[in-house]
Amino acid sequence: MPALPPASPLALSPAALARCIPFVVFMALLALRGYLPAGLGIDTRWIYGAQTLIVAALLAWYWRGYGELARQNLPEAREVGWAVVVGIAVFAVWVRLDAPWMQLGSATASFVPLDDAGQPIWTLIALRLAGAALVVPVMEELFWRSFLMRWIEHPGFERVDPQTVGLRAVLLSTFVFTLAHTLWLAAVVAGLAYAWLYRRSGKLWTAVIAHAVTNALLGVWVIWTGRWEFW
């Protein structure tokens, strides 16, 4: 990789902020749900829908600045095929890596879209599935892979060709990605798989597609099996 000019690792550029803000807002709203007083009478499960809409609006606001997602960077059919295969493989691994030692903390049923009679609330389910399969993959791949992985390589991350990113940046970004998930071993597999796709193709869309396939399949599987702790 050709030498890049020095850049301050502490000063985040507008491009970096555009990839960080949607993720930070999503995580902040996620954390907020646990601190709302019970006396307010708010069903916190509906906050996920608001989360999704807010983050989708932020992504739309910054969209023109996401050059890695521009039309000229759309993957070819063969690359889409690889992304789908990887997404399916990650899903197959994810639902099997749930032994106690494979978890950070304890898995809890944090999102159970059932009413008091135990019947599915389909609006809640649809919002959750749409957010997980359509919004979250774009938000997360922009942050974890496009920004963080390349930023570890060099603070001027926009000038870093993803195909030249070194092993250190891949491993460090995957490690941090893992800390954000309860199923840490499954997250290691997912993080490395999505990073491999991005490095191999040089196109972030391949990682986004794989991530979306994994999340969509996981959502359908959760609904089918009632294993709400995976949501």
Side-chain angles (χ1 to χ4, degrees):
M1 182 177 68
L4 294 173
S8 171
L10 299 179
L12 291 181
S13 65
L17 290 173
R19 288 155 181 80
C20 293
I21 288 174
F23 178 81
V24 171
V25 168
F26 184 87
M27 297 303 291
L29 292 174
L30 188 66
L32 176 65
R33 288 191 300 175
Y35 291 96
L36 289 177
L40 291 178
I42 298 174
D43 186 342
T44 57
R45 294 175 299 179
W46 291 99
I47 294 177
Y48 188 89
Q51 250 179 289
T52 299
L53 291 174
I54 291 169
V55 170
L58 287 170
L59 292 172
W61 176 265
Y62 290 119
W63 193 263
R64 290 186 179 181
Y66 300 144
E68 61 271 58
L69 298 179
R71 182 174 299 178
Q72 64 268 25
N73 289 319
L74 289 173
E76 299 173 359
R78 176 176 54 84
E79 294 168 329
V80 172
W82 270 109
V84 171
V85 168
V86 169
I88 294 171
V90 171
F91 158 73
V93 170
W94 192 283
V95 297
R96 287 168 173 79
L97 298 181
D98 63 341
W101 69 271
M102 300 174 183
Q103 300 177 24
L104 287 172
S106 57
T108 57
S110 58
F111 191 89
V112 182
L114 304 177
D115 61 20
D116 292 339
Q119 297 301 308
I121 304 173
W122 290 108
T123 305
L124 269 178
I125 290 172
L127 285 171
R128 179 74 177 196
L129 193 56
L134 300 176
V135 176
V136 169
V138 176
M139 172 197 76
E140 289 213 42
E141 293 309 313
L142 280 167
F143 178 76
W144 294 115
R145 253 61 66 179
S146 181
F147 167 65
L148 186 61
M149 189 175 76
R150 292 194 294 165
W151 181 82
I152 291 171
E153 193 71 26
H154 189 277
F157 74 99
E158 282 189 289
R159 292 164 291 183
V160 176
D161 182 344
Q163 294 180 303
T164 66
V165 170
L167 183 61
R168 181 182 72 97
V170 170
L171 294 178
L172 284 175
S173 59
T174 299
F175 173 74
V176 183
F177 174 75
T178 298
L179 296 179
H181 296 80
T182 300
L183 299 176
W184 68 266
L185 187 55
V188 168
V189 173
L192 291 176
Y194 303 151
W196 175 77
L197 279 171
Y198 188 30
R199 287 186 76 252
R200 183 177 185 273
S201 66
K203 298 174 181 176
L204 189 66
W205 275 115
T206 56
V208 171
I209 292 168
H211 200 149
V213 169
T214 299
N215 284 10
L217 291 175
L218 184 61
V220 172
W221 179 83
V222 166
I223 295 165
W224 182 262
T225 62
R227 296 286 303 275
W228 305 113
E229 68 271 19
F230 279 86
W231 254 7

